[in-house]
Amino acid sequence: MKDTPQQGDGVLIVGEEVCRDLVGRAEAFAAVEEVFAAMASGQARNFPVVREAIGHADALYGFKSGFDRAGMVMGVKAGGYWPGNIGRGLTNHQSTVCLFDPDTGRLSALVGGNHLTAVRTAASSAVSIAHLARRDAKVLGMVGAGHQSAFQLRAAAEQRAFEKVVAWNPHPEMLPQLAEVAASLGLPFEAVTPEALGAEADVIITITSAFEPLLMRDWIRPGTHVACMGTDTKGKMEVDAALLAAATVFADEVAQSVSIGEAQHAVAAGLLAEGDITPIGAVINGAHPGRTSDAEITLFDGTGVGLQDLAVASVAARLAEEQGVAARVVL
């Protein structure tokens, strides 16, 4: 995340194919873990999010931005969600990251954001598993089987010695695609009910666009780690609010967690207070112990923050510059 390319002879242009070639799970994990730590120590700050329905194509469009003083990375991610894109052969999520020179404010790079959004989101849950899941976790539960689920599964599988994947999706016809990913990792796969998933899984990742709880508190075993990755807008909801009340709750950013994240419902119901939520960066920094017993339920509210996008975009820009695989243009 260090040494973001500065504006020399024009603006660096880093396309989607270059991002896919240069930024994999390892690079994304390191960048996201580092920026979460910087956030918790007060060295990095996200700016207020703008996210609006545009009144056309059922699309949501917005901006996430921030400044990481530790990594000297500043910029904005512009983009959103176009639900009809899949019918056009395009990814529903579309975005671009603009990086700026913190010393001058000049534009330094334009970076494709679609692949980076997928890997940084998966890296976020993977960081939470690395720091919060039980070391002896054997069964991974997946709630959701959309485009992002494959990234989530692959990243999670690198954090623990999982022996099996159990999964449920509101649209079961999508599960075979996730089964293929599990098979490529050498992991047995079983489609189950949500109740059975909660009864068997040691780690659960939810990655849906639901507006109602898909997992209930009574279905979750002691010692489970849950990474809620789908709720990033007011009104969305993936798990029972009572589950957050029963868990030790962590988040990428507490303010966003209580406003647009999974915690919004538990807070509104008076089951959870903002002060009950710990930034995951505090665990990374050693300021918070994280999991304190094998019986504790831990929950990570991954709302998706702009600094994650800037961190991975900075890595893409730096590697592209070093390897000479990006163009420069003068605006």
Side-chain angles (χ1 to χ4, degrees), residues 252-271:
D252 43 16
E253 183 184 67
V254 175
Q256 196 160 286
S257 173
V258 302
S259 60
I260 63 172
E262 195 64 41
Q264 64 182 283
H265 306 286
V267 170
L271 300 175

Side-chain angles (χ1 to χ4, degrees), residues 170 207-214 230-231 233 235-239 262 265:
I207 184 68
T208 73
S209 55
F211 281 80
E212 60 185 8
L214 305 176
T231 299
T233 303
K236 278 188 175 183
M237 186 181 196
E238 293 191 293
V239 304
E262 195 64 41
H265 306 286

Side-chain angles (χ1 to χ4, degrees), residues 4-7 10-12 99-101 106-110 328:
T4 302
Q6 305 300 305
Q7 180 158 355
V11 178
L12 194 70
L99 297 176
F100 298 88
D101 180 353
R106 299 180 72 191
L107 181 66
S108 59
L110 291 174
R328 280 195 178 273

Side-chain angles (χ1 to χ4, degrees), residues 49-97:
V49 174
V50 175
R51 186 174 173 86
E52 300 287 343
I54 67 172
H56 176 72
D58 292 325
L60 292 171
Y61 179 67
F63 306 90
K64 292 183 175 182
S65 59
F67 174 49
D68 176 8
R69 185 181 299 275
M72 288 302 286
V73 177
M74 183 176 74
V76 58
K77 172 186 173 180
Y81 184 77
W82 272 258
N85 274 6
I86 193 71
R88 303 180 181 209
L90 300 172
T91 303
N92 287 348
H93 288 90
Q94 293 289 322
S95 62
T96 303
V97 178

Side-chain angles (χ1 to χ4, degrees), residues 105-149:
R106 299 180 72 191
L107 181 66
S108 59
L110 291 174
V111 184
N114 295 348
H115 169 75
L116 295 181
T117 297
V119 295
R120 69 81 154 150
T121 304
S124 180
S125 64
V127 167
S128 82
I129 294 168
H131 289 277
L132 298 173
R134 297 192 334 266
R135 291 291 169 186
D136 64 350
K138 299 299 183 186
V139 179
L140 173 63
M142 296 292 302
V143 177
H147 175 75
Q148 174 63 212
S149 65

Side-chain angles (χ1 to χ4, degrees), residues 24-25 28-29 32 36 93 115-130 140-160 162 165-167 177-178 181-182 184-185 187 189 203-208 225-232 238 252 300-304 308:
R25 290 185 295 278
F29 185 100
V32 168
F36 281 167
H93 288 90
H115 169 75
L116 295 181
T117 297
V119 295
R120 69 81 154 150
T121 304
S124 180
S125 64
V127 167
S128 82
I129 294 168
L140 173 63
M142 296 292 302
V143 177
H147 175 75
Q148 174 63 212
S149 65
F151 291 90
Q152 294 284 335
L153 175 52
R154 292 184 185 279
E158 296 177 345
Q159 307 311 317
R160 292 292 184 269
F162 292 114
V165 177
V166 293
Q177 301 172 51
L178 195 59
V181 177
S184 72
L185 298 171
L187 292 172
F189 181 94
V203 173
I204 300 172
I205 298 173
T206 63
I207 184 68
T208 73
H225 174 63
V226 184
C228 297
M229 305 304 299
T231 299
D232 58 0
E238 293 191 293
D252 43 16
F300 174 67
D301 190 3
T303 63
Q308 288 175 258

